Amino acid sequence: MAGHSKWKNIQRRKNAQDAKKGKVFMRHAKDIYTAAKQGGGDIATNASLRLVVDKAKADNMPNDNIDRAIKKATGTLDGASFEELTYEGYGPGGVAVIVNVLTDNKNRTAAEVRHAFKKNDGNLGENGSVSFMFDRKGYIVIANENGEIDEDELTLEALEAGAEDITTEEEAYEIFTEPENFQDVVTHLTENGYEIADSEVTLFPQTYSALNETEESKMLTLIETLEENEDVQDIHHNLEESN
């Protein structure tokens, strides 16, 4: 995965999202939902949830919004029935795309996702049409903006806790785990004083697709359109973004 830093893409995408009014709480709600779904709704035992809740509160997200996101994930939200769905397809130039949604109206969501693909020269496929091109991994980022973290020490701690690999990026370390070891590694690193900048169980493409300038522009527009949909939780793709 060297040369394809997820952290750099996350930072670029989140900075762009945060510049848009009204998107900050939506992003936090999605992060909270994902963390609660993966590790449970108790922040005392779910380090990933505690991390994203703290970030949401730092941005002044109301407690009611936070509680609602957690209840969605744990199925305890009264009077609402949400369904998790996954759409697979191809974007411009044949880029593989997986879209995870949480919706209370699957017909509406399906129409909106289909429209986003069609408008940007993409098309939806059958379930399984592109998912085989991705691997599911635990992903953890340790910020190192001041260069104070000893790489060897962190590597030993991460591997001891069950991590699979660790890579060094500018001002950060990226740690990868098998999904079943993810929570143990997060907990271990947190308990040993490491500040976790981001963490999730997510999908990583096995290969990447480079596009020409026109196709890449359309692909980025497709991603942005999907991100603006309130039902969309996660978007995975294998675009090789140009610098």
Side-chain angles (χ1 to χ4, degrees), residues 168-181:
T168 303
E169 296 295 338
E170 186 178 354
E171 299 184 342
Y173 293 102
E174 294 182 311
I175 300 169
F176 303 90
T177 78
E178 290 298 331
E180 58 270 21
N181 296 332

Side-chain angles (χ1 to χ4, degrees), residues 59-79:
D59 281 336
N60 298 314
M61 185 174 182
N63 287 332
D64 286 348
N65 295 39
I66 294 172
D67 291 341
R68 179 179 174 84
I70 293 174
K71 288 178 179 178
K72 278 186 181 181
T74 56
T76 57
L77 185 64
D78 293 336

Side-chain angles (χ1 to χ4, degrees), residues 1 98 130-139 164 176-179 201-207 236:
M1 286 174 251
I98 297 176
V130 302
S131 57
F132 68 94
M133 302 168 65
F134 294 79
D135 293 323
R136 190 168 182 79
K137 297 287 182 181
Y139 174 73
E164 185 178 65
F176 303 90
T177 78
E178 290 298 331
V201 176
T202 187
L203 298 177
F204 287 90
Q206 298 166 0
T207 59
H236 309 282

Side-chain angles (χ1 to χ4, degrees), residues 172-192:
Y173 293 102
E174 294 182 311
I175 300 169
F176 303 90
T177 78
E178 290 298 331
E180 58 270 21
N181 296 332
F182 168 74
Q183 196 61 54
D184 289 341
V185 177
V186 169
T187 300
H188 180 84
L189 293 176
T190 301
E191 290 177 348
N192 281 273

